[in-house]
Amino acid sequence: MEIYNPANDRYLITIEEDTKDSVSEKFNRAKAALSTWNQTPLKKRMEIITQFKLLVDQEKEPLAEILTNETGKPITQSKNELKGLMGRIDFFLSETAKVLEEEIVSEKEALLCEKISKEPLGVIANISAWNYPYFVGSNVFIPALLTGNTVLYKPSEYATCTGIAINKLLHEAGVPEDVFLLILGAGQIGEELLKLTVDGVFFTGSYATGKKINEMVASHLTKVQLELGGKDPVYVCEDVNIKTAAASLADGAFYNNGQSCCSVERIYVHESIYDKFVETFTDEVKNFVIGDPMREKTYIGPLTRARQIEVLEAQIKDAISKGAKLLIGGKRIAQAGNYFEPTVITEVTHEMWVMQEESFGPIIGIQKVKDDSEAIALMNDTEYGLTAGVYTQDENRAKNILSQIHAGSVYWNCCDRVSPTLPWAGRGHSGMGCTLSHYGIETFLRLKAWHLKKP
Ligand code: NAD
């Protein structure tokens, strides 16, 4: 597998991919390592993960460079991701012992005790995306390892070098070689992994792949968890500070070049402030610094995958053919690398793909609405259900609107935000199951019910 830098199309490295046989051999090793790792005291497992955190912190500069080189993520955003990883690890370290505690449910009858204990699922297949490899990867492999599972980790083919770095640091920190195993390759290798009788499949990626994976593992009766795409809406009410809301939403839509599962992908604005909001928002976007992702001041780098440019071009063409107005952007930037102009489209409707299909790039549609009911109807008019937000001064109004929205995470006056303490759980085409929060630790465990009667 040859890896290229999406910022300049330069060749970076050739990586040897796994094969059907090597995947199967790694699975057998992960299975054999399970009981020893599970019996390793939690304290020891926590020490190892703490050491991993320390090593990542020491290596954060070169790790950020590796990430930027292979994905085109601006270097400041790569550093932010690594900083965020520290907080996630801290959360898992602080919560796991509590989650693993046995529960005595009943001791009503003197001689009968009922209790619940928790055991690891077993061998976890972790198939991951490239857009935030440290976040989406660690949401799975850190709690999985802490709770005593072994992990077969397949990073995305677009974040392979980062996957290799994660693997190296986990082993250096003390995770045994057979407890965390790297599987390298693209979708076909992922499929080989799914043919094996793993005990849990934890996938982050697109709806199309997630659906396929769910169908593939159904016959094994294996637990599957899917964290998929989004078409995340935000409604801007008429009572906001327009400048503050526009700045926040421009960042929410264009951070990481719009390649976040929870990027703002649709904006609905109350008609009374629509023109002023659109003007202010567009000014924000015009000020973005586009260029070499290795430069500290760059905010917009290249897209990670060249093929996404075709998706953006098709969405823009479709929207314009149906009456949308292209305010700024709309085309590839003519230079080496996968650069695309930040794009703002207005006069959009829900007949247009740009308001229905995940764009996953630097493009946003803004639509005028007359009131809260119209905004709610439009926000819910999608198959996805990852996040949604409302910007208003009125807390009750925000809560009332958000309680009617079909999404796993809702935001008042903020957006594009993930917290380790809250569950990350998409609905509909955005996925099933959850990571993060204590629920995102429990998900790597199975329950055992004990009925104990003294002789
Ligand atoms: P993708 O679906 O193309 O690939 C994801 C992973 O699946 C990769 O490792 C890939 O090699 C593997 N894969 C592809 N086909 C496979 C198959 N048939 N069998 C097994 N594995 C296979 O997605 P992507 O381009 O890497 O990521 C972008 C998508 O991920 C976007 O839709 C984004 O919204 C979503 N995402 C969601 C979250 C979330 O938390 N909900 C987080 C990050 C990204």
Side-chain angles (χ1 to χ4, degrees):
M1 183 165 52
E2 291 182 343
I3 315 259
Y4 291 84
N5 185 331
N8 49 29
D9 302 330
R10 281 193 205 127
Y11 166 80
L12 289 174
I13 192 170
T14 300
I15 306 279
E16 197 178 330
E17 287 185 60
D18 268 284
T19 60
K20 184 178 176 209
D21 289 343
S22 71
V23 172
S24 163
E25 182 252 341
K26 286 180 182 178
F27 168 65
N28 289 333
R29 283 165 57 195
K31 211 168 163 183
L34 202 50
S35 64
T36 314
W37 180 245
N38 181 23
Q39 280 159 31
T40 302
L42 174 63
K43 190 166 168 288
K44 177 71 187 162
R45 296 200 296 260
M46 287 172 63
E47 279 167 16
I48 292 172
I49 296 300
T50 306
Q51 180 62 15
F52 170 68
K53 183 190 157 197
L54 199 76
L55 292 175
V56 171
D57 196 37
Q58 280 167 6
E59 296 286 314
K60 57 180 181 286
E61 298 287 329
L63 292 174
E65 282 178 21
I66 291 171
L67 181 55
T68 292
N69 263 325
E70 68 179 340
T71 63
K73 183 182 295 229
I75 192 76
T76 46
Q77 298 178 18
S78 291
K79 288 180 188 169
N80 282 349
E81 187 176 339
L82 283 153
K83 201 168 146 203
L85 172 67
M86 304 288 108
R88 293 202 183 185
I89 296 177
D90 283 341
F91 170 76
F92 290 128
L93 285 170
S94 69
E95 289 296 306
T96 302
K98 255 182 278 173
V99 174
L100 281 171
E101 264 170 28
E102 283 188 357
E103 288 173 49
I104 305 288
V105 184
S106 149
E107 276 180 312
K108 278 181 208 140
E109 292 171 44
L111 296 179
L112 183 67
C113 170
E114 292 180 347
K115 68 168 189 172
I116 304 167
S117 69
K118 292 145 191 186
E119 299 175 355
L121 290 176
V123 180
I124 302 296
N126 177 194
I127 300 180
S128 206
W130 48 265
N131 60 335
Y132 288 93
Y134 284 103
F135 284 161
V136 296
S138 68
N139 289 355
V140 173
F141 63 71
I142 298 288
L145 291 171
L146 281 172
T147 49
N149 297 275
T150 58
V151 178
L152 296 165
Y153 173 59
K154 196 198 91 54
S156 162
E157 58 274 35
Y158 295 97
T160 299
C161 300
T162 295
I164 292 171
I166 288 172
N167 182 56
K168 180 170 166 281
L169 293 182
L170 278 169
H171 291 158
E172 266 175 42
V175 176
E177 299 261 329
D178 291 355
V179 166
F180 183 87
L181 293 124
L182 193 60
I183 306 284
L184 294 178
Q188 262 181 333
I189 290 301
E191 283 192 22
E192 292 304 329
L193 192 50
L194 300 173
K195 288 179 191 159
L196 303 165
T197 49
V198 293
D199 302 291
V201 173
F202 288 74
F203 171 78
T204 310
S206 60
Y207 162 70
T209 313
K211 183 168 178 286
K212 202 167 162 186
I213 284 179
N214 195 28
E215 286 162 3
M216 271 190 76
V217 290
S219 62
H220 293 171
L221 298 186
T222 300
K223 175 168 184 164
V224 186
Q225 206 167 281
L226 305 171
E227 300 206 337
L228 311 177
K231 190 71 195 167
D232 299 359
V234 167
Y235 170 37
V236 185
C237 300
E238 69 287 354
D239 60 352
V240 295
N241 176 317
I242 293 179
K243 173 90 183 134
T244 312
S248 165
L249 287 169
D251 186 46
F254 290 93
Y255 190 85
N256 198 24
N257 226 343
Q259 301 169 115
S260 308
C261 52
C262 51
S263 284
V264 176
E265 290 237 348
R266 300 177 282 150
I267 302 179
Y268 303 97
V269 184
H270 193 276
E271 59 187 5
S272 61
I273 59 158
Y274 179 79
D275 291 341
K276 183 73 191 152
F277 176 85
V278 167
E279 187 192 332
T280 316
F281 182 90
T282 308
D283 285 346
E284 287 288 334
V285 178
K286 282 182 191 157
N287 283 332
F288 288 151
V289 179
I290 307 169
D292 179 357
M294 276 298 179
R295 287 196 349 222
E296 290 283 334
K297 65 176 187 190
T298 295
Y299 181 78
I300 302 258
L303 287 154
T304 304
R305 298 166 307 166
R307 69 167 191 258
Q308 197 64 14
I309 289 183
E310 287 160 31
V311 173
L312 302 180
E313 285 171 342
Q315 288 190 351
I316 292 165
K317 194 170 166 208
D318 168 76
I320 291 172
S321 75
K322 291 172 182 163
K325 194 167 152 194
L326 182 64
L327 283 194
I328 51 165
K331 60 181 189 308
R332 176 189 258 281
I333 299 175
Q335 65 178 72
N338 308 330
Y339 286 92
F340 198 86
E341 293 174 343
T343 301
V344 178
I345 307 181
T346 55
E347 313 300 323
V348 288
T349 68
H350 274 222
E351 276 63 56
M352 300 171 187
W353 299 340
V354 74
M355 298 304 273
Q356 291 288 311
E357 302 292 331
E358 188 178 45
S359 305
F360 221 57
I363 157 173
I364 187 82
I366 309 181
Q367 185 167 353
K368 192 187 289 184
V369 291
K370 64 176 186 310
D371 56 24
D372 296 1
S373 329
E374 187 184 11
I376 293 166
L378 288 169
M379 288 164 92
N380 279 332
D381 181 28
T382 170
E383 299 286 356
Y384 291 104
L386 193 59
T387 83
V390 172
Y391 281 60
T392 171
Q393 308 279 349
D394 184 339
E395 183 174 351
N396 287 333
R397 182 175 173 190
K399 286 181 175 163
N400 177 39
I401 295 168
L402 292 172
S403 64
Q404 297 175 63
I405 301 295
H406 182 64
S409 293
V410 290
Y411 306 117
W412 175 39
N413 293 332
C414 57
C415 59
D416 190 25
R417 182 176 191 279
V418 182
S419 162
T421 52
L422 290 171
W424 191 245
R427 301 177 182 182
H429 286 193
S430 293
M432 56 191 200
C434 88
T435 52
L436 299 175
S437 80
H438 64 91
Y439 295 105
I441 302 175
E442 281 169 20
T443 194
F444 295 98
L445 295 165
R446 41 180 137 223
L447 306 176
K448 183 168 273 177
W450 297 75
H451 306 243
L452 302 170
K453 192 163 185 185
K454 286 185 185 154

